[in-house]
Amino acid sequence: NPIHRAHEYLTKAALEVSVVGDLAQVPLAERPEFARIGAGAATDRAAAAAALVRQINERVSGLRDALREGAYAEPELATLLTELERRRTSDVRRGARMLAGEDVADSVVGGLWAVVSVEVFQLLTAHAGWSADHYEVWLADTIGRLLAPAEGK
């Protein structure tokens, strides 16, 4: 159905713009804010990652809610959601490697994938009443603790 395809395309485009925060055709992984997660001391890298994740989650939160709701009724949106999660998993793995400076165990990537999710952001900020600043500090600390075993090798 052309209308469903157009809706899916617009939803995907809106999410991609929300993730990076502008209309430039530069993927997140090629942007300076992503590169910062691989530079400096471990605490600096974790803080840069937490700041980036916070910004992304603040921008995509409402749109992801709408996509999740739409996915129940529209198979195309469910497929899109699955594709986006696969891409997010890959991005988290790439980011984890940059943060640790080496390959990271699947269990660590899985933990990072969970804690950087928009769902955890929403639970802590909208439901638990945390400020976005508090979330970012907690996330930087959590990222550091999840990666500590990788850094201690």
Side-chain angles (χ1 to χ4, degrees):
N1 180 335
I3 292 174
H4 286 147
R5 280 192 209 104
H7 186 252
E8 178 185 351
Y9 172 80
L10 290 172
T11 302
K12 185 175 181 180
L15 274 167
E16 288 174 355
V17 168
S18 294
V19 166
V20 295
D22 60 41
L23 295 172
Q25 296 293 312
V26 179
L28 178 63
E30 295 175 16
R31 290 172 175 260
E33 57 269 33
F34 193 83
R36 277 195 281 282
I37 69 174
T43 54
D44 296 333
R45 294 190 310 265
L52 177 61
V53 168
R54 170 194 174 171
Q55 292 167 7
I56 291 169
N57 284 339
E58 286 176 325
R59 290 190 298 254
V60 304
S61 183
L63 201 48
R64 286 292 290 223
D65 285 346
L67 179 57
R68 269 193 308 275
E69 288 296 318
Y72 289 116
E74 298 290 335
E76 295 89 359
L77 293 179
T79 300
L80 175 60
L81 187 58
T82 300
E83 174 192 327
L84 291 170
E85 280 305 317
R86 252 189 251 122
R87 189 178 335 159
R88 192 171 76 82
T89 301
S90 174
D91 289 345
V92 169
R93 182 174 302 282
R94 184 180 308 122
R97 248 186 270 143
M98 289 176 68
L99 284 160
E102 62 187 15
D103 285 339
V104 177
D106 288 345
S107 61
V108 173
V109 172
L112 286 169
W113 176 83
V115 299
V116 302
S117 71
V118 71
E119 292 84 1
V120 169
F121 171 77
Q122 290 171 328
L123 285 170
L124 294 175
T125 58
H127 300 288
W130 288 16
S131 69
D133 288 340
H134 183 187
Y135 164 80
E136 185 178 326
V137 169
W138 169 84
L139 185 59
D141 181 62
T142 301
I143 289 169
R145 283 189 277 139
L146 281 167
L147 290 171
E151 293 171 353
K153 287 183 182 176

